[in-house]
Amino acid sequence: MEKVVIVTGANSGIGLALCERLLTEDTQLRLCLACRNMQRAEAARSALLTSHAGAHVDLLQLDVGSVESVLNAAKVVKSRYNRIDFLYLNAGIMPNPQVDIRAFFKGLFSRNVINMFATAEGLLTQQDRLNSDGLQEVFATNLFGHFVLIRELEPLLCQTGHTSRVVWTSSSNARRSAFSIDDIQHRKGTEPYSSSKYASDMLSVALNRRMNGQGLFSSVVCPGLVMTNLTYGILPSSFWTLIMPIMWLIRIFTNTFTLTPYNGAEALHWLFLQKPESLDPRAKYHSLTSGLGTNYTEPRQMDIDGETADVLFSKLLELEKGVRRKLCERNADNEAHQRYLNEIE
């Protein structure tokens, strides 16, 4: 039986590299590229079919930063497939990154250079904004949209006698110090990316606590330091030209500088080959590359409190109700929205 695999943010970077590796591993799987920009998604699909003629690659329009787009995409998925084996939650944004240049150059020639590049701690902030749903954009895209997607696809993910997997692309920048359970959208802070990634780590733990018994298993991956469009957007191109030779040199001495999307997708691909029962629900699986260029995966325990993770899950449920209630009011003539509104009243 062919596996059904959905990858969000699949048109470039780590998402596209993962799709390439999955098709190389299993030519029979049914792969769905869930992307916001359909022109880029079509280009990615064409590239995959060029290297994997005869592969079954579907496209799905999905903007995880918009709840309405998520609901529409979920409806398409439920009409197209009768189950989901893997749901890779890879889409994410880091808008308007601002780098403390003084701290950057100070760290560049210090003992802390590896940690600085790996975590961006004390170096990187972002300016967030509200989206059309009235939510903080980074929170909505990196976490909440994916949460709603999982909720909508539960009938395909949780089936008797069937095991399904949810895999989050997290970050080494996911830090507990950036997250507050009293401000899950990070409205008051300046590190929304770090906060959203730590929240996704927490949500993965909460999903395992709640849904392993229903056959749904969640895992978290850190791709390491990868040069993608998101990474290149942090600094001007002239800076990258200056420091890339230094980064390749540092890579000899650290395994977290995976650098290429292919290497960064190592743990995502590795999880595809594992039985979920053998995995640690509280571990983050890191893509690592040795100084000699060998890729491997290593689990590391996450700094997550299970009870706090459950509180986050409950807060997301309440937020989902509120957002969907607003959508119902906005689309008063939509029968599906009205049906949901009646259910939650």
Side-chain angles (χ1 to χ4, degrees):
M1 182 181 296
E2 65 179 7
K3 290 188 172 102
V4 176
V5 180
I6 299 175
V7 182
T8 70
N11 60 9
S12 64
I14 295 170
L16 182 57
L18 169 64
C19 291
E20 176 71 34
R21 296 187 67 161
L22 292 178
L23 289 174
T24 300
E25 184 68 41
D26 184 354
T27 59
Q28 301 302 312
L29 64 80
R30 187 168 181 182
L31 180 63
C32 177
L33 314 184
C35 307
R36 178 178 57 182
N37 187 312
M38 294 308 291
Q39 184 176 358
R40 293 180 181 177
E42 186 58 56
R45 180 178 183 272
S46 297
L48 291 171
L49 292 178
T50 298
S51 56
H52 301 279
H56 196 155
V57 182
D58 300 326
L59 298 182
L60 175 70
Q61 186 159 24
L62 169 65
D63 177 3
V64 286
S66 163
V67 171
E68 190 157 22
S69 176
V70 171
L71 298 178
N72 291 335
K75 185 177 180 180
V76 173
V77 169
K78 286 185 281 190
S79 68
R80 184 184 292 174
Y81 311 114
N82 57 22
R83 75 178 195 289
I84 297 171
D85 295 285
F86 282 83
L87 178 59
Y88 282 96
L89 305 176
N90 173 72
I93 61 171
M94 184 194 292
N96 306 310
Q98 296 183 336
V99 177
D100 185 331
I101 299 298
R102 182 177 179 181
F104 172 79
F105 279 107
K106 183 178 180 180
L108 189 61
F109 301 102
S110 72
R111 297 178 182 178
N112 194 46
V113 61
I114 293 176
N115 182 69
M116 180 187 72
F117 276 117
T119 68
E121 185 173 3
L123 183 68
L124 190 64
T125 60
Q126 304 92 43
Q127 291 182 348
D128 205 356
R129 62 184 181 184
L130 295 180
N131 69 1
S132 59
D133 293 315
L135 304 173
Q136 294 298 127
E137 187 177 35
V138 176
F139 163 84
T141 304
N142 295 359
L143 179 74
F144 187 66
H146 284 135
F147 171 77
V148 176
L149 183 64
I150 294 170
R151 293 263 299 149
E152 281 294 300
L153 297 182
E154 275 188 30
L156 304 188
L157 291 166
C158 302
Q159 298 181 351
T160 303
H162 175 251
T163 297
S164 63
R165 308 278 294 282
V166 170
V167 184
W168 301 80
T169 300
S170 182
S171 171
S172 57
N173 190 237
R175 300 196 319 278
R176 186 171 189 167
S177 60
F179 176 81
S180 170
I181 195 63
D182 297 319
D183 181 22
I184 63 173
Q185 294 192 51
H186 204 72
R187 293 182 184 275
K188 302 175 183 178
T190 59
E191 298 180 276
Y193 182 81
S194 180
S195 173
S196 69
K197 289 302 181 179
Y198 185 78
S200 69
D201 295 353
M202 295 180 67
L203 183 53
S204 180
V205 171
L207 286 170
N208 284 321
R209 287 164 65 92
R210 288 171 174 260
M211 307 190 76
N212 281 178
Q214 300 176 51
L216 174 63
F217 293 82
S218 181
S219 300
V220 179
V221 162
C222 175
L225 178 60
V226 182
M227 304 312 297
T228 64
N229 291 336
L230 187 150
T231 315
Y232 281 119
I234 296 174
L235 291 169
S237 58
S238 57
F239 275 83
W240 289 119
T241 302
L242 174 66
I243 68 174
M244 279 306 295
I246 300 174
M247 294 177 65
W248 280 99
L249 177 64
I250 294 174
R251 177 183 166 179
I252 299 174
F253 305 101
T254 180
N255 54 14
T256 59
F257 279 35
T258 49
L259 296 186
T260 70
Y262 180 92
N263 294 346
E266 175 67 21
L268 294 162
H269 172 247
W270 182 85
L271 285 170
F272 181 75
L273 305 175
Q274 309 307 309
K275 294 182 178 180
E277 297 84 358
S278 67
L279 299 173
D280 186 342
R282 287 178 171 271
K284 180 179 289 189
Y285 291 86
H286 288 249
S287 296
L288 301 173
T289 303
S290 71
L292 297 177
T294 301
N295 294 322
Y296 60 103
T297 298
E298 180 179 285
R300 299 176 183 175
Q301 286 295 303
M302 295 188 291
D303 181 21
I304 302 290
D305 175 70
E307 293 184 1
T308 306
D310 287 339
V311 172
L312 173 64
F313 191 96
S314 297
K315 284 177 174 280
L316 292 173
L317 283 178
E318 288 302 311
L319 183 59
E320 180 193 3
K321 290 180 182 179
V323 172
R324 293 187 63 160
R325 184 179 287 109
K326 290 180 181 178
L327 281 177
C328 291
E329 295 168 353
R330 187 191 310 169
N331 300 280
D333 58 339
N334 187 300
E335 182 180 346
H337 284 301
Q338 281 299 309
R339 186 166 56 251
Y340 179 78
L341 182 58
N342 293 334
E343 289 174 359
I344 63 176
E345 292 298 341

